[in-house]
Amino acid sequence: MPRKNIVILISGRGSNMEAIVRAAREQDWDSACNARIAAVISNRPGAAGLAIAAQHGIATAELDHRSFADRAAFDAALAQLIDGYEPTLVVLAGFMRVLTPGFVMHYEGRMVNIHPSLLPAFTGLHTHERALEAGVKLHGATVHYVTAELDHGPIVAQAAVPVLPGDTPDDLAARVLAQEHRMYPAAVRRIVDGRVVLDDGVAVHRDGAPSVFLGDFASH
Ligand code: NHR
Ligand code: GAR
């Protein structure tokens, strides 16, 4: 069977990408599920995550969205770059550009994102700040398939954390991020293993594998 290639798209720090790369190495995805991280691509030149990926010996590429006339032109070039790696799965990890419907359709059922909220609450940007303003007591992150409608695709897994009195957006973001780093590698592996299937717009875990991740609630 041909090797399953995972292509990760980032825009910045790349800590979720790094968590996936580390899990792939520690769990030997190469032998365990015939999968490898084929490339890490950033739309922002010099993104910190690119250096991390390179240190792990992974192919990297930069595609600056500012050098393209419009979103469609950027997305066409991005798809060409990605398809050079013959991806089984495209993973958005802190990727900050909205993707056009044509691009999304091309990767339908084989592209996932991690969004820093418990969807369907708080789609879009500045989620931690908005969660604090809304006074929610639970917050978290969601792994979902990417569809044309922003942050609305089928939900693969969710991680919940408590919101604590006095939290700043940064405090909350850090608590959520720790759970993202547990959840995203596990979710990607399950998808690559074929253990997640889409049934009428709902992601179903075939072996009952956990799709819920909980932060530390012990003291709250
Ligand atoms: N594209 C589609 N079609 N559907 C989704 O669900 C997508 C997507 C592209 C990215 C990630 C998403 C998130 O998890 C994601 C999901 C960027 C923006 C945004 O408004 C919104 C949501 C997400 C990512 N970006 C600005 C833009 O004009 C730029 C902001 C910036 O550069 O800082 O593209 O939250
Ligand atoms: C993560 O919290 C991710 O959920 C969020 O940005 C952070 C990226 O961190 N994604 C979005 O906000 C997408 N709009 P990372 O680059 O260290 O993985």
Side-chain angles (χ1 to χ4, degrees), residues 12-17 93-96 113-116 124-125 128 177 180-181:
R13 180 177 57 182
S15 71
N16 275 293
M17 174 275 298
F95 183 72
M96 297 306 292
N113 176 46
I114 189 158
H115 178 77
L125 303 177
H128 307 302
L177 192 65
E180 294 186 40
H181 294 164

Side-chain angles (χ1 to χ4, degrees), residues 59-98:
T60 63
E62 297 175 341
L63 193 70
D64 189 345
H65 60 275
R66 292 167 301 188
S67 0
F68 294 87
D70 52 31
R71 284 182 192 267
F74 169 70
D75 281 9
L78 183 59
Q80 198 168 24
L81 187 56
I82 294 171
D83 286 348
Y85 295 98
E86 302 185 347
T88 298
L89 187 68
V90 177
V91 174
L92 309 186
F95 183 72
M96 297 306 292
R97 297 300 296 172
V98 174

Side-chain angles (χ1 to χ4, degrees), residues 55-179:
Q55 279 165 18
H56 285 272
I58 296 168
T60 63
E62 297 175 341
L63 193 70
D64 189 345
H65 60 275
R66 292 167 301 188
S67 0
F68 294 87
D70 52 31
R71 284 182 192 267
F74 169 70
D75 281 9
L78 183 59
Q80 198 168 24
L81 187 56
I82 294 171
D83 286 348
Y85 295 98
E86 302 185 347
T88 298
L89 187 68
V90 177
V91 174
L92 309 186
F95 183 72
M96 297 306 292
R97 297 300 296 172
V98 174
L99 297 160
T100 56
F103 182 97
V104 172
M105 203 179 306
H106 180 66
Y107 297 105
E108 192 178 358
R110 52 187 181 120
M111 178 161 61
V112 290
N113 176 46
I114 189 158
H115 178 77
S117 79
L118 289 173
L119 291 174
F122 310 118
T123 60
L125 303 177
H126 312 295
T127 54
H128 307 302
E129 206 174 330
R130 287 159 59 210
L132 288 174
E133 278 164 13
V136 297
K137 309 305 179 214
L138 274 177
H139 186 48
T142 302
V143 176
H144 65 93
Y145 281 94
V146 176
T147 58
E149 194 181 352
L150 199 64
D151 300 329
H152 272 78
I155 291 172
V156 175
Q158 292 190 300
V161 303
V163 179
L164 301 182
D167 268 351
T168 65
D170 284 351
D171 296 333
L172 192 50
R175 196 173 304 125
V176 171
L177 192 65
Q179 297 308 312

